PDB file of all heavy atoms in Angstrom:
ATOM      1  N   GLN O 416     100.084  72.973 132.663  1.00  0.00           N
ATOM      2  CA  GLN O 416      98.675  73.164 132.313  1.00  0.00           C
ATOM      3  C   GLN O 416      98.377  74.620 131.961  1.00  0.00           C
ATOM      4  O   GLN O 416      97.675  74.898 130.979  1.00  0.00           O
ATOM      5  CB  GLN O 416      97.781  72.703 133.463  1.00  0.00           C
ATOM      6  CG  GLN O 416      97.818  71.188 133.664  1.00  0.00           C
ATOM      7  CD  GLN O 416      97.014  70.788 134.878  1.00  0.00           C
ATOM      8  OE1 GLN O 416      95.810  70.996 134.912  1.00  0.00           O
ATOM      9  NE2 GLN O 416      97.686  70.219 135.878  1.00  0.00           N
ATOM     10  N   VAL O 417      98.887  75.545 132.755  1.00  0.00           N
ATOM     11  CA  VAL O 417      98.642  76.962 132.484  1.00  0.00           C
ATOM     12  C   VAL O 417      99.264  77.342 131.144  1.00  0.00           C
ATOM     13  O   VAL O 417      98.621  78.008 130.317  1.00  0.00           O
ATOM     14  CB  VAL O 417      99.184  77.854 133.631  1.00  0.00           C
ATOM     15  CG1 VAL O 417      99.196  79.320 133.226  1.00  0.00           C
ATOM     16  CG2 VAL O 417      98.354  77.647 134.891  1.00  0.00           C
ATOM     17  N   THR O 418     100.482  76.915 130.889  1.00  0.00           N
ATOM     18  CA  THR O 418     101.161  77.216 129.632  1.00  0.00           C
ATOM     19  C   THR O 418     100.369  76.668 128.448  1.00  0.00           C
ATOM     20  O   THR O 418     100.219  77.345 127.421  1.00  0.00           O
ATOM     21  CB  THR O 418     102.593  76.640 129.635  1.00  0.00           C
ATOM     22  OG1 THR O 418     103.302  77.196 130.751  1.00  0.00           O
ATOM     23  CG2 THR O 418     103.334  76.967 128.354  1.00  0.00           C
ATOM     24  N   ALA O 419      99.847  75.446 128.573  1.00  0.00           N
ATOM     25  CA  ALA O 419      99.053  74.854 127.491  1.00  0.00           C
ATOM     26  C   ALA O 419      97.755  75.626 127.265  1.00  0.00           C
ATOM     27  O   ALA O 419      97.349  75.859 126.116  1.00  0.00           O
ATOM     28  CB  ALA O 419      98.742  73.391 127.808  1.00  0.00           C
ATOM     29  N   HIS O 420      97.091  76.060 128.314  1.00  0.00           N
ATOM     30  CA  HIS O 420      95.802  76.751 128.178  1.00  0.00           C
ATOM     31  C   HIS O 420      95.936  78.154 127.604  1.00  0.00           C
ATOM     32  O   HIS O 420      95.084  78.573 126.818  1.00  0.00           O
ATOM     33  CB  HIS O 420      95.073  76.814 129.524  1.00  0.00           C
ATOM     34  CG  HIS O 420      94.454  75.524 129.935  1.00  0.00           C
ATOM     35  ND1 HIS O 420      93.424  74.927 129.231  1.00  0.00           N
ATOM     36  CD2 HIS O 420      94.715  74.710 130.975  1.00  0.00           C
ATOM     37  CE1 HIS O 420      93.068  73.809 129.831  1.00  0.00           C
ATOM     38  NE2 HIS O 420      93.848  73.642 130.887  1.00  0.00           N
ATOM     39  N   ILE O 421      96.961  78.884 127.975  1.00  0.00           N
ATOM     40  CA  ILE O 421      97.047  80.273 127.502  1.00  0.00           C
ATOM     41  C   ILE O 421      97.420  80.354 126.027  1.00  0.00           C
ATOM     42  O   ILE O 421      97.293  81.412 125.422  1.00  0.00           O
ATOM     43  CB  ILE O 421      97.981  81.143 128.370  1.00  0.00           C
ATOM     44  CG1 ILE O 421      99.427  80.665 128.284  1.00  0.00           C
ATOM     45  CG2 ILE O 421      97.477  81.194 129.792  1.00  0.00           C
ATOM     46  CD1 ILE O 421     100.401  81.605 128.977  1.00  0.00           C
ATOM     47  N   LYS O 422      97.832  79.243 125.436  1.00  0.00           N
ATOM     48  CA  LYS O 422      98.083  79.231 123.991  1.00  0.00           C
ATOM     49  C   LYS O 422      96.789  79.425 123.210  1.00  0.00           C
ATOM     50  O   LYS O 422      96.821  79.758 122.038  1.00  0.00           O
ATOM     51  CB  LYS O 422      98.764  77.928 123.583  1.00  0.00           C
ATOM     52  CG  LYS O 422     100.201  77.844 124.055  1.00  0.00           C
ATOM     53  CD  LYS O 422     100.851  76.552 123.642  1.00  0.00           C
ATOM     54  CE  LYS O 422     102.277  76.532 124.169  1.00  0.00           C
ATOM     55  NZ  LYS O 422     102.943  75.270 123.889  1.00  0.00           N
ATOM     56  N   ASP O 423      95.643  79.243 123.875  1.00  0.00           N
ATOM     57  CA  ASP O 423      94.343  79.449 123.228  1.00  0.00           C
ATOM     58  C   ASP O 423      94.016  80.930 123.048  1.00  0.00           C
ATOM     59  O   ASP O 423      92.997  81.270 122.442  1.00  0.00           O
ATOM     60  CB  ASP O 423      93.224  78.792 124.044  1.00  0.00           C
ATOM     61  CG  ASP O 423      93.337  77.284 124.079  1.00  0.00           C
ATOM     62  OD1 ASP O 423      93.985  76.705 123.176  1.00  0.00           O
ATOM     63  OD2 ASP O 423      92.789  76.670 125.013  1.00  0.00           O
ATOM     64  N   TYR O 424      94.845  81.814 123.603  1.00  0.00           N
ATOM     65  CA  TYR O 424      94.584  83.259 123.564  1.00  0.00           C
ATOM     66  C   TYR O 424      95.787  84.002 122.995  1.00  0.00           C
ATOM     67  O   TYR O 424      96.377  84.844 123.665  1.00  0.00           O
ATOM     68  CB  TYR O 424      94.255  83.772 124.975  1.00  0.00           C
ATOM     69  CG  TYR O 424      93.230  82.922 125.678  1.00  0.00           C
ATOM     70  CD1 TYR O 424      93.608  82.021 126.667  1.00  0.00           C
ATOM     71  CD2 TYR O 424      91.883  83.011 125.328  1.00  0.00           C
ATOM     72  CE1 TYR O 424      92.662  81.218 127.297  1.00  0.00           C
ATOM     73  CE2 TYR O 424      90.948  82.215 125.956  1.00  0.00           C
ATOM     74  CZ  TYR O 424      91.340  81.322 126.931  1.00  0.00           C
ATOM     75  OH  TYR O 424      90.404  80.531 127.547  1.00  0.00           O
TER      76      TYR O 424
END
Side-chain angles (χ1 to χ4, degrees):
Q416 291 175 63
V417 168
T418 302
H420 284 295
I421 65 172
K422 289 180 181 176
D423 294 338
Y424 312 103

